């Protein structure tokens, strides 16, 4: 158990819809990272928040947005969903702002299926 | 374009055999991490290597970071069925505002048969 909690575990929805994925980091961790994992692209970094502020941005689409709340949990919002958005979405957390040798602890992911 | 290339993509071996998985890049990384992922779960960190030429051992697993900090290898001795999983390498690139960002390879799916 990594201590990172993601909900829901599975999500099935239709094209054009909007969903929210939730992540609670490990106790004491201030950074939250979001990743997308698909068969053709592998694990891709989307965005990082540190103590409520956006810290780094990766390959995140404009239809996607995220935020980190004062209690440090984070939400990833995906809108105008397309078939290609079907993937596993992982949240990870780390203690500090993300120094290069700092481990990231991953949750078990949310599997999003677009019909 | 994938920043980190892992090979082989798939590996299927018998219990007791040795194997090596490679992770290569043209970029220099400040550190490199190896993760293992099992179905239905998130990646779990195995090791972080920081210094060029560094070798770390974790029981039957040996990790090496290339001298130029561009590549790494994972060697497993006497593989066991419990070693089955997706092995991912991830490079951490220090570059101003992208501090802490990890670039993942696509992984090596290892299957160890009894």
């Amino acid at each position: 158990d990594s201590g990172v909690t993601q909900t829901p575990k599975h999500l099935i929805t239709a094209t054009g819809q909007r969903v929210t994925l939730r992540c609670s980091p490990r106790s004491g961790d201030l950074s939250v990272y979001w990743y997308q994992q698909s068969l053709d692209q592998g694990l891709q970094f989307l965005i990082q928040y540190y103590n409520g502020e956006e810290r780094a941005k990766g390959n995140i689409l404009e239809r996607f947005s995220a935020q980190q709340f004062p209690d440090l949990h984070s939400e990833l919002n995906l809108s105008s969903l397309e078939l290609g958005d079907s993937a596993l979405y992982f949240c990870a957390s780390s203690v500090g702002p993300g120094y290069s040798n700092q481990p990231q602890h991953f949750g078990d992911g949310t599997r999003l299926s677009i019909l | 374009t994938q920043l980190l290339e892992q090979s082989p993509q798939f590996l299927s071996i018998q219990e007791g055999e040795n194997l090596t998985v490679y992770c290569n890049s043209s970029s220099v990384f400040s550190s490199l991490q190896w993760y293992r992922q099992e179905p239905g779960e998130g990646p779990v960190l195995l090791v972080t290597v920081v210094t060029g030429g560094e070798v770390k051992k974790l029981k039957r697993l040996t990790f090496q970071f290339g001298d130029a900090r561009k590549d790494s290898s994972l060697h497993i001795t006497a593989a066991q069925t419990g070693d089955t999983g997706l092995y991912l390498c991830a490079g951490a690139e220090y570059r101003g505002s992208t501090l802490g960002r990890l670039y993942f390879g696509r992984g090596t799916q290892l299957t160890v048969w009894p």
Side-chain angles (χ1 to χ4, degrees):
Chain A
D1 182 12
S2 68
V4 178
T5 303
Q6 287 189 250
T7 57
K9 200 164 177 60
H10 301 278
L11 201 47
I12 302 174
T13 189
T15 56
Q17 295 298 304
R18 182 179 189 275
V19 297
T20 298
L21 312 184
R22 184 187 167 101
C23 169
S24 293
R26 283 191 332 159
S27 176
D29 284 0
L30 298 180
S31 271
V32 168
Y33 309 78
W34 286 99
Y35 293 87
Q36 180 192 58
Q37 187 176 39
S38 61
L39 284 174
D40 56 339
Q41 293 291 327
L43 203 60
Q44 299 283 319
F45 169 73
L46 296 177
I47 198 164
Q48 177 201 356
Y49 281 82
Y50 172 68
N51 206 18
E53 300 288 326
E54 183 183 303
R55 179 81 178 174
K57 215 167 187 176
N59 305 323
I60 188 165
L61 299 172
E62 282 191 17
R63 300 184 285 108
F64 296 0
S65 65
Q67 54 183 327
Q68 186 179 28
F69 294 87
D71 67 352
L72 300 177
H73 90 271
S74 177
E75 292 181 355
L76 178 67
N77 300 296
L78 315 176
S79 62
S80 302
L81 287 168
E82 302 174 0
L83 292 176
D85 297 328
S86 294
L88 270 167
Y89 290 84
F90 286 102
C91 167
S93 71
S94 68
V95 172
Y99 296 109
S100 61
N101 60 351
Q102 204 165 68
Q104 293 183 18
H105 302 272
F106 283 77
D108 286 340
T110 293
R111 181 174 292 280
L112 177 63
S113 299
I114 312 298
L115 303 180
Chain B
T1 307
Q2 209 72 12
L3 202 61
L4 279 165
E5 296 292 337
Q6 284 190 245
S7 61
Q9 191 177 353
F10 298 95
L11 195 51
S12 183
I13 61 171
Q14 293 289 128
E15 208 168 23
E17 291 183 21
N18 301 332
L19 66 112
T20 302
V21 173
Y22 299 94
C23 176
N24 296 300
S25 176
S26 57
S27 297
V28 176
F29 294 102
S30 54
S31 72
L32 202 134
Q33 302 178 2
W34 283 91
Y35 291 80
R36 188 172 89 186
Q37 184 178 11
E38 299 192 35
E41 298 179 9
V44 176
L45 180 68
L46 296 174
V47 77
T48 300
V49 284
V50 178
T51 308
E54 183 176 1
V55 176
K56 276 192 175 177
K57 290 195 174 185
L58 192 67
K59 296 183 181 176
R60 294 175 295 101
L61 278 59
T62 302
F63 303 86
Q64 187 160 7
F65 201 12
D67 291 340
R69 292 175 22 225
K70 292 182 180 181
D71 51 79
S72 181
S73 64
L74 158 60
H75 182 80
I76 301 179
T77 304
Q80 299 177 356
T81 55
D83 295 328
T84 293
L86 179 68
Y87 288 82
L88 296 159
C89 67
E93 192 177 44
Y94 182 97
R95 190 170 57 180
S97 63
T98 60
L99 176 69
R101 174 175 177 172
L102 286 179
Y103 294 86
F104 278 84
R106 289 193 182 169
T108 293
Q109 180 62 52
L110 172 66
T111 304
V112 182
W113 302 97

